C-alpha cells in the first residue's frame, strides 16, 4: 500500500484503506460481514449507476463520490481507480446471486442448477446495463497489477455457484470443477459482450455447448482413470490368486 | 606495595557481552514469534486431564458474536487436516485388509470394525468441509497414493508391521486431535468467562472431535494388544511413519 495513497486519503477515512481478510470458515450462525464499509459502499454504489453512460473510468468514481456527498479527493480511497469499480460490481453480483435465484424443490440436478446459476449471473450483468461497457472492464481486469484480484474474484464466483448448486464433493474434483467452471464462465462472459441477439439467446447456446464439452471431456477422463484403476486392482488380485504374496 | 583488587569487587557498569548483532537479534525474535504463532498444536497430554464443561452436553443458544478471523483460520486448517487424516486412515485399512485377512482370518472382525469407524469419521469430516465451505487439501491424490502404498507395504511386511503402522498413525493422530480439543475447549472457557454464548456449531464440533479422538485411541489400544510392539524394525518403522504423518499434517495445513 503506497505511502502516497495513505497520505492523500482524507484522515477521517484512512482506516478504511485496510482490507478485510477473506472469509474462510462459513458459519451459519451469522451473516457474513458486508464486503465494503459504509463510505466505500456509498461511493461505489452511486458510481455504478453512472457506468452505462460513462464506462468504468476514474471520472465515474469522482462523479459517484460527489453524488454520495463526499469530496472529490475521497476517490483516493480506491488506489486502483476504475478497477475498484469493476471489483465492486463483481463482488456485489456474486453475493446477490443467492437472492436472485433459489431452487425450492429437490428435482433439478446439480448440472442444471449450475447452468441456471451461470445464466442468472450473466443476466445480472445485463440488468445492471454494464454489458456494453464490459469490454473496458475486461481490459482493466487483465492489467498485470489487477490479475491476481480478478482471478480471486473469478474463483470465488465459481465456488459460490458450485455451493449454491448443492455440490458436496470435497476431493480432487473440488479443484477440477471450480477450475473448469471458471474457464467456462469467463469465456461465456466474453462472448456475452459481443452478443447482439434478443435476450442473449446466443450466449445461452454458447454456454450449453461449453457445458457439453465439459461433460464429454470430463466424463472421458474420469472413465479412463477408473479403467486404469480397475486394471491395476485386477492385476494385483490376479497375482494374489496365483499365490504371489503381495 | 602491590595492591591487588579482588576480582569480585570489580563490578562492571555495562554487561560484558553487551548486545547481539542485528542479524542475531532478528533471528532470535523470529524464532520466538514462530513458536508463539503455530496454529495447529499437538498435545501428548492425556485426555483424562481435559476440562469437562457442562455446557458441552447441553444444547446452546445461537451465538451473538461471530468467530474472530484467527479462529476461523484455525478451524479451516484443522478441519482440512482432519479430513486428510481420515482419508489416509481409510486407505491404509483398505490396502491392509486383503493380505492380513487372508493370512489371519481371526483378525477380520477387528479390521472391519476399525475400518467402519474410520469410514464414519471420513464421512463426518466430508460433511463438515462441504457445509462450512472449507477447501480440501490440494495434496489429496498424493495422500491417496501414499496411504495406499503405506498400507500395502506394512501388510506385506507382516501382521506385526501392519499393527505397528496402525499404532504409529493413531498415536500421531491422537495427539493431533488432543491438541485440537484442548484448543477448542480453551475457546469455550474464554467465551464463558466473557459471558458469550458458545453456539451449537462449536459445541457439536467439539463433541464430534472428542468422540473421534476417543475412537482413534481405541484403535491404538487394539493395535498394541495385537502385538504391534513385536514388529521387527519397530523403532525405525514407527519413527519413519510418525515423521511422515507430522510432515503430512504440516503440509495439509498450508496446502
Amino acid at each position: 500500500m503506497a505511502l502516497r495513497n495513505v497520505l492523500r486519503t482524507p484522515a477521517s477515512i484512512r482506516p478504511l484503506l485496510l482490507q478485510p481478510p477473506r472469509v474462510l470458515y462459513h458459519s451459519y450462525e451469522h451473516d457474513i460481514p458486508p464486503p465494503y464499509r459504509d463510505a466505500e459502499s456509498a461511493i461505489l454504489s452511486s458510481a455504478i449507476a453512472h457506468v452505462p453512460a460513462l464506462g468504468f473510468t476514474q471520472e465515474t468514481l469522482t462523479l459517484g463520490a460527489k453524488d454520495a456527498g463526499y469530496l472529490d479527493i475521497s476517490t483516493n480511497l480506491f488506489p486502483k481507480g476504475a478497477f475498484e469499480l469493476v471489483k465492486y460490481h463483481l463482488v456485489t453480483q456474486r453475493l446477490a446471486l443467492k437472492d436472485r435465484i433459489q431452487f425450492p424443490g429437490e428435482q433439478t440436478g446439480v448440472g442444471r442448477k449450475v447452468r441456471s446459476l451461470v445464466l442468472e449471473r450473466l443476466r445480472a450483468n445485463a440488468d445492471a446495463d454494464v454489458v456494453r461497457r464490459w469490454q473496458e472492464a475486461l481490459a482493466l481486469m487483465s492489467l498485470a497489477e489487477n490479475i491476481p484480484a480478478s482471478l480471486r474474484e473469478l474463483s470465488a464466483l465459481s465456488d459460490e455457484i458450485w455451493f449454491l448448486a448443492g455440490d458436496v464433493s470435497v476431493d480432487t474434483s473440488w479443484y477440477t470443477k471450480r477450475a473448469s467452471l471458471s474457464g467456462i464462465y469467463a469465456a461465456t462472459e466474453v462472448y456475452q459482450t459481443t452478443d447482439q441477439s434478443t435476450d442473449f439467446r446466443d450466449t445461452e447456446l454458447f454456454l450449453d455447448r461449453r457445458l457439453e464439452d465439459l461433460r464429454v471431456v470430463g466424463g472421458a477422463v474420469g472413465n479412463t482413470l477408473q479403467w486404469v484403476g480397475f486394471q491395476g486392482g485386477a492385476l494385483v488380485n490376479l497375482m494374489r490368486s496365483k499365490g504371489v504374496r503381495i | 606495595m602491590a595492591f591487588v583488587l579482588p576480582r569480585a569487587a570489580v563490578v562492571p557498569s555495562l554487561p560484558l557481552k553487551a548486545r547481539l548483532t542485528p542479524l542475531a537479534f532478528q533471528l532470535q525474535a523470529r524464532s520466538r514469534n514462530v513458536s508463539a504463532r503455530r496454529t495447529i498444536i499437538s498435545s501428548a497430554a492425556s485426555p483424562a486431564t481435559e476440562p469437562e464443561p457442562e455446557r458441552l452436553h447441553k444444547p446452546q443458544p445461537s451465538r451473538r458474536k461471530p468467530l474472530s478471523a484467527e479462529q476461523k483460520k484455525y478451524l479451516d486448517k484443522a478441519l482440512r487436516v482432519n479430513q486428510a487424516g481420515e482419508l489416509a486412515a481409510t486407505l491404509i485399512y483398505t490396502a491392509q485388509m486383503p493380505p492380513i485377512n487372508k493370512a489371519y482370518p481371526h483378525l477380520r472382525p477387528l479390521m472391519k470394525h476399525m475400518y467402519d469407524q474410520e469410514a464414519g469419521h471420513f464421512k463426518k469430516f466430508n460433511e463438515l468441509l462441504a457445509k462450512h465451505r472449507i477447501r480440501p487439501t490440494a495434496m489429496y491424490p498424493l495422500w491417496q497414493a501414499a496411504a495406499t502404498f503405506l498400507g500395502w507395504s506394512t501388510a506385506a511386511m507382516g501382521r506385526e508391521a501392519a499393527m505397528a503402522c496402525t499404532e504409529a498413525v493413531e498415536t500421531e493422530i491422537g495427539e493431533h486431535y488432543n491438541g485440537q480439543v484442548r484448543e477448542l475447549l480453551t475457546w469455550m472457557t474464554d467465551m464463558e468467562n466473557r459471558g458469550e454464548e458458545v453456539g451449537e456449531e462449536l459445541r457439536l464440533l467439539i463433541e464430534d472431535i472428542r468422540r473421534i479422538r476417543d475412537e482413534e485411541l481405541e484403535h491404538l489400544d487394539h493395535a498394541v494388544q495385537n502385538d504391534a510392539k513385536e514388529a521387527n524394525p519397530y523403532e525405525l518403522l514407527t519413527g519413519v511413519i510418525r515423521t511422515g504423518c507430522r510432515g503430512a499434517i504440516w503440509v495439509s495445513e498450508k496446502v
Side-chain angles (χ1 to χ4, degrees):
Chain A
M1 181 70 56
L3 182 63
R4 196 183 63 168
N5 287 323
V6 174
L7 293 173
R8 279 184 180 178
T9 321
S12 57
I13 47 177
R14 236 173 248 171
L16 297 179
L17 285 174
L18 292 168
Q19 296 297 320
R22 285 173 47 228
V23 173
L24 286 170
Y25 170 91
H26 178 76
S27 174
Y28 291 81
E29 293 178 326
H30 277 281
D31 296 327
I32 53 168
Y36 289 94
R37 268 98 19 135
D38 293 337
E40 293 177 334
S41 184
I43 297 176
L44 288 168
S45 53
S46 358
I48 275 281
H50 296 291
V51 163
L54 299 170
F56 289 97
T57 57
Q58 188 65 33
E59 196 195 332
T60 325
L61 267 180
T62 317
L63 196 51
K66 277 210 278 263
D67 284 352
Y70 289 86
L71 303 168
D72 284 7
I73 203 75
S74 306
T75 53
N76 279 322
L77 200 51
F78 309 114
K80 293 199 171 167
F83 174 69
E84 300 269 1
L85 199 50
V86 175
K87 191 159 168 230
Y88 176 79
H89 174 79
L90 292 173
V91 169
T92 46
Q93 293 305 336
R94 168 171 59 90
L95 295 173
L97 197 53
K98 66 178 178 302
D99 298 321
R100 287 180 69 103
I101 180 169
Q102 278 105 21
F103 303 99
E106 288 302 313
Q107 288 89 14
T108 34
V110 174
R112 295 218 68 77
K113 286 189 200 174
V114 165
R115 180 183 181 277
S116 307
L117 283 159
V118 171
L119 286 174
E120 191 55 41
R121 176 62 183 80
L122 293 169
R123 221 165 279 142
N125 272 351
D127 290 345
D129 203 15
V130 299
V131 179
R132 54 202 154 83
R133 294 294 185 178
W134 198 244
Q135 289 186 345
E136 284 170 40
L138 289 169
L140 283 167
M141 287 198 274
S142 63
L143 291 175
E145 69 214 7
N146 297 331
I147 288 178
S150 314
L151 289 177
R152 224 172 287 139
E153 266 309 308
L154 181 59
S155 55
L157 176 65
S158 182
D159 180 47
E160 183 80 17
I161 291 178
W162 277 113
F163 176 69
L164 292 174
D167 176 50
V168 290
S169 63
V170 279
D171 50 9
T172 324
S173 70
W174 189 94
Y175 289 90
T176 55
K177 282 179 183 171
R178 279 151 182 77
S180 51
L181 186 61
S182 301
I184 291 177
Y185 177 78
T188 316
E189 203 179 47
V190 171
Y191 185 86
Q192 190 194 26
T193 60
T194 64
D195 187 9
Q196 304 296 330
S197 60
T198 48
D199 277 349
F200 296 107
R201 276 191 214 120
D202 285 351
T203 309
E204 228 174 286
L205 295 173
F206 181 89
L207 176 64
D208 285 336
R209 288 196 297 272
R210 297 288 76 75
L211 289 174
E212 185 57 31
D213 288 345
L214 179 64
R215 211 184 339 267
V216 166
V217 171
V221 170
N223 289 342
T224 310
L225 287 175
Q226 198 181 44
W227 179 86
V228 169
F230 284 170
Q231 295 303 311
L235 186 65
V236 171
N237 286 334
L238 178 68
M239 291 205 280
R240 278 178 185 159
S241 73
K242 296 288 179 202
V244 177
R245 267 186 301 162
I246 55 164
Chain B
M1 245 186 323
F3 182 67
V4 177
L5 211 57
R7 258 179 192 261
V10 174
V11 177
S13 50
L14 287 172
L16 290 171
K17 195 176 173 186
R19 286 190 177 83
L20 296 168
T21 63
L23 177 60
F25 178 77
Q26 279 179 15
L27 291 172
Q28 201 181 68
R30 205 173 293 162
S31 65
R32 244 182 282 131
N33 265 347
V34 162
S35 52
R37 262 198 271 122
R38 190 173 163 219
T39 38
I40 304 288
I41 47 179
S42 287
S43 172
S46 153
T49 58
E50 254 167 29
E52 181 84 29
E54 324 136 352
R55 274 205 188 187
L56 196 52
H57 306 294
K58 285 194 298 252
Q60 294 293 312
S62 62
R63 295 177 57 86
R64 255 193 298 239
K65 185 169 174 235
L67 293 170
S68 74
E70 282 79 31
Q71 288 177 324
K72 288 192 176 181
K73 224 192 294 186
Y74 180 87
L75 284 174
D76 178 75
K77 290 182 174 184
L79 290 173
R80 174 161 55 250
V81 172
N82 293 354
Q83 192 234 11
E86 296 302 338
L87 165 73
T90 33
L91 288 173
I92 289 175
Y93 284 124
T94 311
Q96 281 182 344
M97 283 197 329
I100 296 293
N101 288 347
K102 183 151 200 260
Y104 305 95
H106 66 278
L107 287 178
R108 197 184 293 262
L110 174 67
M111 295 294 281
K112 180 172 189 323
H113 168 71
M114 296 204 289
Y115 175 78
D116 287 341
Q117 285 188 322
E118 296 293 0
H121 302 167
F122 187 45
K123 185 160 168 287
K124 179 88 214 142
F125 283 122
N126 282 347
E127 284 166 6
L128 282 173
L129 253 69
K131 181 178 166 205
H132 293 292
R133 303 180 67 172
I134 297 174
R135 153 184 91 78
T137 169
M139 310 289 281
Y140 200 96
L142 183 60
W143 297 155
Q144 282 178 309
T148 310
F149 175 73
L150 179 63
W152 171 80
S153 56
T154 48
M157 292 200 289
R159 175 185 69 106
E160 293 86 7
M163 290 298 164
C165 167
T166 304
E167 184 203 341
V169 172
E170 299 295 2
T171 311
E172 265 319 297
I173 287 195
E175 283 187 5
H176 179 67
Y177 283 147
N178 268 347
Q180 285 184 3
V181 172
R182 276 179 193 270
E183 176 73 17
L184 294 176
L185 286 172
T186 313
W187 291 4
M188 209 172 160
T189 37
D190 284 344
M191 288 169 194
E192 283 182 2
N193 292 341
R194 284 197 295 257
E196 288 167 19
E197 294 92 359
V198 171
E200 267 306 274
E201 263 179 21
L202 193 57
R203 181 187 80 86
L204 290 173
L205 186 64
I206 299 177
E207 285 211 327
D208 281 329
I209 299 185
R210 270 169 65 134
R211 175 183 56 84
I212 291 175
R213 189 270 315 272
D214 293 340
E215 289 174 5
E216 301 290 0
L217 292 178
E218 187 198 310
H219 296 178
L220 173 60
D221 293 335
H222 285 312
V224 173
Q225 279 166 16
N226 279 286
D227 303 331
K229 307 247 185 233
E230 308 289 326
N232 225 332
Y234 179 73
E235 293 300 337
L236 180 66
L237 191 61
T238 44
V240 165
I241 294 175
R242 289 185 67 171
T243 314
C245 281
R246 253 177 259 138
I249 288 175
W250 185 84
V251 172
S252 299
E253 278 177 38
K254 311 274 187 301
V255 183

